[in-house]
Structures are given as C-alpha cells and as structure tokens.
Amino acid sequence: MNAKKSDKLATGMIYGLVGIVVAILVALLGYILYNGVPDINWHFLTSEAQSFSAGGGVRDQLFNSLYLLVLALIISFPIALGAGIYLSEYAKDNWITDIIRTSIEVLSSLPSVVVGLFGYLLLVIQLNLGFSILAGAIALTFFNLPLLTRNIEESLRSVPDLQREAGTSLGLSGWKTITKIILPMALPGILTGLILCSGRIFGEAAALIYTAGQSAPSVDYGNWNLFTETSFLNPMRPAETLAVHIWKVNTESVTPDSSVISSASSAVLIIVILIFNLGARYLGNKLFKKMTAAK
Amino acid sequence: MKTYDFNQQYISKIEQEVALSTENVQVHYGKSHAIFDASLDFPRFQITSLIGASGSGKSTYLRCLNRMNDRIAQVDGKILYRNTDINSKNINVYEVRRHIGMVFQRPNPFAKSIRENILFALRNNGINDKKELQERLETSLRDAALWDEVKDDLDKSALALSGGQQQRLCIARSIAMHPDILLLDEPASALDPISTSKIEETLKLLSKNYTIIIVTHNMQQASRISDYTAFFHMGHIIEYNQTKNIFTAPEIKATEDYISGDFG
Ligand SMILES: Nc1ncnc2c1ncn2[C@@H]1O[C@H](COP(=O)(O)OP(=O)(O)OP(=O)(O)O)[C@@H](O)[C@H]1O
Ligand SMILES: [Mg+2]
C-alpha cells in the first residue's frame, strides 16, 4: 500500500469514528429534546411540583439547581484559584507536589455517589447540617474542586514563560506578575473551564440526593432574609434539584403524568447545560479576541 | 571537534569608566557547571557583544547580570555595580532589575495595549504623574524608533504588531524604566533584515546614554555595532577585547577559528 492510499484509509477511518460519536450525541440530544420540549411551557416552569396529581411544574427545582450552583461556585472557585496558582506558579517539583497532584487526580475520579455518601456522613450527620442547601453546596465543592483546580492550573501554565520573564525583568514582584499579567492572559481558559464545570454541577444528582435532600418545601420568593425559615435564600433548608427531581420522578413518583414531567424536566436540564456550553465558548472567544486583537 | 586549552585566555583591561563588572562568576545548573570563572569589566556607554557557539553559556552569563537566574541556577562570585555586589543574598533584586533591564530573544509584549505595555511597570514602580508618564511613553517609543509607526494606535493591542515592532516595543518598555544598563539576548534573531537594521540603529543611538550588553550569533552584527566583544567557549571566556581587535587580530587561536568559521 502506498503512502497516499494509507493516508486516505486513515483519514476515512477517523471521519468514520468521528461520525459515530456525532451520531450518538445527536441521537441522544435529539431524543431528549424531541420528547421533552413539547411539554415545556410557562406553567411548567413557574409552578410547584405536585406529589399526587397531574400538572406539576419544576419552579422550585430549577431555582434550587441554580442556587446550589452559585453557592457551590462561591465556595469552590476561590479555593481552586488559590490551589491552581500555587500548583502552576509556586510548587517545586518534589514529592509533596507529587502527592498533591495525585490526591487531586484521585479526588477527580471519585464516583459522585461516594462524594454524596461522604457528604451525608460528614455534613448531614456529623456536622448536623441536616439535608440542606449548604450541605449540598459543600458536597458539590468536593466534587467540583479537583477539576476546577486542574483547569485553572492548566490555563495558567499555558501562558508562555516569556511573559513571566518579561514581568520579572521589569522589576515586578512575582505576585504582581501573576495577578496582573499571567492571570488576565489565562482568563479566557479559566472562564471556559468554570462554565463547563457549572454544567457538570447542574446535572449532578448522586452527590445531592443524600446532602441537599429530595424534598422541595414551599418557599417564599419574596422573602429576602436568608436567615428566616421560609426564605428562598435560606441555605439550611432541604432543596431538591432538577436532576434529583428527574431521578425521583422516574423511580418513585405516583403522579399520573410522571413520564411527561420527567421528559420535560430532562429537556430543561439539557437546554440549560447547552446554554452553559455555548456561553462558555462564546465568552471565552470574545475575551480572547478582546485581549489579543486590535480594538 | 577541535579541543582548545581553556587556560589560554586574553582578557583586556578596560581603561575607561566601568559600568558593571563580574569577578570569578561560576554558574551551576544542578551538578553541571555552565560558566567557569567569568571575570569581565563592561565599559560605560559602550556596546559590548557576547559571541560564541550555541551552548557556550552566553545567555546563562547574561542572565546572571540582572539576577534572572535566581530560581534556575546557582550563581557564585561577585557582580559589581556601583561598588555593590548585586549577586549577594541581601540585595533587593527588584531594584537591581530596574537599573539593569533585559530584552529577550523572542518578543514578549504583554497582552495589553501598546500604551499599557510601557506604562504598566512604571505605575507599579510608583510613577503616577500623568505628565511624566506621557513623557516617558513618547520618549521611549521614539528612542526605540517605533513612535512614528504606532503614535496613532497607542490603544491597540501590542499583539497586533509585527514581530519587529513588538521587539522594538520591548526595547521601549525596558528603556522607559530609565535603566543604566540594557541586556539583550539575541534581540534580532527572529527578525527580518529590515527590522534587524532598525534595531541596530536603535542600539547605536541608545549607547550614547546606556551601557549595552548584547548576545549575538551574527558576527557582522557584532562587528557593526559593538565597541567590545567577548568570545565564549564551553563556559569559558576565551578572549575579550575591543571589537576591532577581535575581528582583525585575535590573540587566541580559538577565537580566530571561530571568527573565520573554521571551528569545531
Ligand atoms: N535552564 C537550564 N537548565 C539546565 N541547563 C541549562 C539551562 N539553560 C542552559 N543550560 C545549559 O547551560 C549551557 C549553556 O547554555 P546557554 O543557554 O547559556 O548557551 P548559549 O550560549 O546562550 O547558547 P545559544 O547560542 O544556543 O543561545 C548549555 O550546556 C545548556 O545546556
Ligand atoms: Mg542563548
């Protein structure tokens, strides 16, 4: 076989494989959207879930998912940023760093059920947080931290060393160089990673079932005092998320329209995650352009 | 490869004012010894070029001069600048680097506007006076022969400039700090002949007010622009003399072979 022929064959094979991946993705997404989108309407998005009768919505679950996401990011982003900066800029190549890296890798491959059960034992039982948004957010932090740290470290590393030398040679301190020169250049990558992590958190169920709980008590969306019981912002209340809702509706629901609710909720979930993903690309590109190209 | 005796050296004494000098500088990368006993005096307001084969230690030596090897290599010996050993432990390295600036082989402007590239480090060094900043911006860009090309685009991203312009911007960024000494590591090696000659002109002009030390692989460049030349070979400084002597009547066989291209 000559080079040209084998090249053609290899190219064809690669196209074929890519085609299979794309086909599976399109089929999955298409199936979920096709089944769910027709049942999404304003009423579905803005009314409470029903336990026994038909016609329930996902208002509280949708809000809970978003609220948990925000809380989880508020907790995990600063930690991940610090750890990422440390690993990429300060850590020496020695056994301590190796241990940290390995732990992060192990943590990132931990099944989320394990994270959930660990969160249950530690946060819900031991620390007495009960099934609560706070417990859920902390469990999600465990779940999210390794990937986010990795992402931030990689983004910082991808900034050429020449930039660090430029800063240093102008008499800037290491910290100034990192915060004012390296970090801005890494920002598009960090942002993209952050939003992709958000998608992962948003779709997560297993880590939340035993931490944030499976019930969505009625809350008052007009009560902004997060220290009162009925406030929608109260972090100590249990909060069923959209992903947990889907799981619950499918396993133990007795509402007559459970299949409709499940497919519509799945579609909502997928759409939000798609928005995150597209948003990540758009924002990342835009930021990068803004920094590199002429204004 | 021909072998030469490292003990055969010719290091000429500098008669005029000295801006910077090194005494018995040794550099180790881990166990490997990269620079042996380097002792040189750099004359003030002159251009000195460092030449030698790849891997001979030119960059390593140059980076010692403003402590850029701090986290990379072990540097021993004395580096004297204004009667102070700037290689000692208790020296403020940030201050050293403000007096001794550096330009690298590949242009490395910040991902900021042209204006910010120049002003950023100045502000960080406590210069906040608007007039002063504006003045330094314009002067440094003029001195680096870039002003006419960019004066209408100061707020555009520096990354949109050509490689040659970026390198001149880096030179401007360094001289805006008003250093005493400018170190350049093959600043023109990635550039076309036109950009190269612009940079050479720039350096020639700058040498009126700055002491310049430049690493170059380009012999013509060394002989065109520099007043003094040091020849490095395998971590040793073999010969150091006025450029015209080095290129017309080298004292050491190794230098002669290297310059005539009959080396190794
Ligand atoms: N960061 C480093 N770590 C370990 N060894 C290094 C490092 N940098 C340089 N060296 C070694 O030190 C020696 C001198 O290298 P140096 O870069 O100073 O040479 P040079 O004369 O600048 O070469 P070139 O002309 O190719 O730039 C070489 O043997 C090189 O392998
Ligand atoms: Mg070099």
Side-chain angles (χ1 to χ4, degrees):
Chain A
M1 207 165 20
N2 63 21
K4 213 170 171 180
K5 254 193 183 157
S6 59
D7 184 52
K8 256 197 175 152
L9 196 74
T11 316
M13 217 139 95
I14 290 170
Y15 274 125
L17 292 173
V18 170
I20 294 175
V21 173
V22 172
I24 292 175
L25 272 178
V26 169
L28 254 173
L29 279 181
Y31 178 78
I32 294 173
L33 292 177
Y34 178 79
N35 277 321
V37 170
D39 295 316
I40 301 178
N41 52 43
W42 189 242
H43 174 78
F44 180 70
L45 293 176
T46 55
S47 56
E48 274 184 53
Q50 298 294 332
S51 308
F52 305 107
S53 55
V58 290
R59 177 191 70 195
D60 301 328
Q61 285 75 10
L62 193 56
F63 172 77
N64 289 342
S65 288
L66 290 169
Y67 189 35
L68 255 169
L69 171 65
V70 170
L71 273 188
L73 289 182
I74 288 178
I75 304 175
S76 56
F77 185 68
I79 304 176
L81 186 63
I85 290 179
Y86 171 77
L87 283 174
S88 108
E89 308 294 324
Y90 290 99
K92 296 212 174 73
D93 265 334
N94 57 22
W95 60 273
I96 302 180
T97 314
D98 281 346
I99 290 181
I100 297 178
R101 283 233 167 75
T102 315
S103 327
I104 290 177
E105 238 143 64
V106 171
L107 211 61
S108 72
S109 53
L110 220 55
S112 53
V113 192
V114 177
V115 175
L117 286 174
F118 174 74
Y120 174 68
L121 290 175
L122 180 73
L123 305 166
V124 177
I125 306 286
Q126 207 63 39
L127 296 178
N128 224 350
L129 293 177
F131 288 126
S132 61
I133 294 191
L134 189 60
I138 297 175
L140 284 178
T141 298
F142 292 147
F143 171 74
N144 187 36
L145 213 45
L147 271 184
L148 199 54
T149 304
R150 248 332 235 289
N151 164 258
I152 292 175
E153 183 193 351
E154 296 290 320
S155 305
L156 289 170
R157 260 176 207 278
S158 71
V159 178
D161 267 342
L162 276 171
Q163 291 287 327
R164 295 180 179 83
E165 299 212 302
T168 318
S169 74
L170 288 169
L172 300 176
S173 66
W175 181 242
K176 266 270 154 59
T177 306
I178 292 167
T179 51
K180 294 285 168 61
I181 295 167
I182 309 299
L183 208 54
M185 280 193 89
L187 209 57
I190 293 178
L191 193 76
T192 309
L194 189 69
I195 301 180
L196 292 178
C197 280
S198 305
R200 237 169 63 102
I201 294 182
F202 199 79
E204 178 54 36
L208 291 176
I209 292 173
Y210 295 109
T211 50
Q214 307 170 34
S215 57
S218 320
V219 288
D220 176 3
Y221 286 94
N223 181 353
W224 287 80
N225 182 351
L226 71 166
F227 297 105
T228 53
E229 190 111 349
T230 57
S231 167
F232 68 113
L233 293 175
N234 172 14
M236 300 314 291
R237 67 183 170 89
E240 182 193 37
T241 65
L242 202 54
V244 173
H245 189 59
I246 294 170
W247 170 79
K248 217 175 125 193
V249 166
N250 272 308
T251 47
E252 51 191 45
S253 169
V254 291
T255 52
D257 59 350
S258 63
S259 74
V260 171
I261 300 235
S262 140
S263 30
S265 306
S266 307
V268 170
L269 190 83
I270 291 283
I271 290 171
V272 173
I273 291 178
L274 275 178
I275 292 175
F276 281 166
N277 279 266
L278 297 178
R281 293 192 131 210
Y282 176 75
L283 270 178
N285 279 341
K286 204 168 163 179
L287 249 178
F288 191 75
K289 276 221 187 90
K290 192 172 169 204
M291 280 174 20
T292 51
K295 259 193 224 169
Chain B
M1 186 163 180
K2 287 185 199 172
T3 49
Y4 299 98
D5 182 1
F6 298 131
N7 291 322
Q8 258 199 343
Q9 289 183 329
Y10 183 89
I11 310 288
S12 90
K13 271 270 150 240
I14 302 293
E15 305 297 339
Q16 67 237 61
E17 190 186 351
V18 169
L20 183 73
S21 62
T22 67
E23 285 178 14
N24 300 318
V25 165
Q26 316 274 347
V27 183
H28 287 90
Y29 289 108
K31 287 217 165 59
S32 98
H33 201 161
I35 295 289
F36 301 80
D37 267 325
S39 304
L40 286 187
D41 295 336
F42 295 100
R44 185 146 194 242
F45 297 157
Q46 302 269 290
I47 301 182
T48 303
S49 55
L50 312 181
I51 63 171
S54 193
S56 58
K58 308 176 297 290
S59 300
T60 301
Y61 178 71
L62 189 77
R63 293 167 59 90
C64 295
L65 303 180
N66 70 342
R67 299 281 297 260
M68 289 297 285
N69 277 336
D70 269 12
R71 290 177 61 179
I72 304 164
Q74 169 69 31
V75 181
D76 299 300
K78 281 188 178 166
I79 301 172
L80 296 170
Y81 170 67
R82 294 185 177 167
N83 301 321
T84 314
D85 178 11
I86 56 170
N87 194 38
S88 70
K89 281 267 178 297
N90 47 12
I91 281 287
N92 177 349
V93 293
Y94 307 117
E95 192 64 31
V96 165
R97 293 178 190 136
R98 279 168 219 153
H99 289 277
I100 307 178
M102 184 168 232
V103 175
F104 299 83
Q105 179 168 5
R106 280 194 293 145
N108 54 357
F110 300 134
K112 300 176 187 293
S113 68
I114 295 171
R115 184 194 307 276
E116 273 309 299
N117 260 276
I118 308 273
L119 300 187
F120 176 68
L122 294 178
R123 283 205 205 93
N124 268 289
N125 284 315
I127 302 168
N128 286 311
D129 181 54
K130 279 234 170 69
K131 250 180 82 191
E132 163 106 27
L133 287 173
Q134 182 58 35
E135 200 270 331
R136 286 210 194 190
L137 175 70
E138 182 168 344
T139 322
S140 64
L141 285 170
R142 275 193 197 284
D143 285 353
L146 190 59
W147 176 254
D148 290 334
E149 288 160 59
V150 301
K151 62 171 185 279
D152 299 322
D153 302 320
L154 291 173
D155 291 310
K156 278 202 183 144
S157 166
L159 302 186
L161 295 172
S162 78
Q165 291 173 324
Q166 288 187 5
Q167 192 64 304
R168 275 177 281 146
L169 178 63
C170 292
I171 294 178
R173 182 174 67 184
S174 281
I175 56 186
M177 304 281 293
H178 291 176
D180 262 359
I181 301 173
L182 201 54
L183 311 174
L184 304 105
D185 193 349
E186 299 185 50
S189 69
L191 306 180
D192 67 285
I194 296 174
S195 306
T196 303
S197 69
K198 276 206 173 134
I199 287 187
E200 286 180 11
E201 280 167 35
T202 306
L203 294 179
K204 261 297 188 207
L205 281 175
L206 289 176
S207 68
K208 291 200 183 91
N209 303 305
Y210 296 88
T211 303
I212 293 175
I213 305 172
I214 177 173
V215 171
T216 175
H217 270 289
N218 182 333
M219 305 290 181
Q220 283 84 32
Q221 187 170 65
S223 65
R224 268 196 306 264
I225 63 172
S226 66
D227 306 290
Y228 279 79
T229 296
F231 169 60
F232 280 69
H233 178 50
M234 298 178 79
H236 297 262
I237 298 170
I238 301 292
E239 185 160 352
Y240 178 53
N241 207 340
Q242 294 198 19
T243 300
K244 57 177 189 287
N245 294 344
I246 291 255
F247 281 92
T248 55
E251 302 281 339
I252 310 283
K253 182 81 170 74
T255 317
E256 188 183 336
D257 287 354
Y258 183 73
I259 285 164
S260 62
D262 181 25
F263 192 67

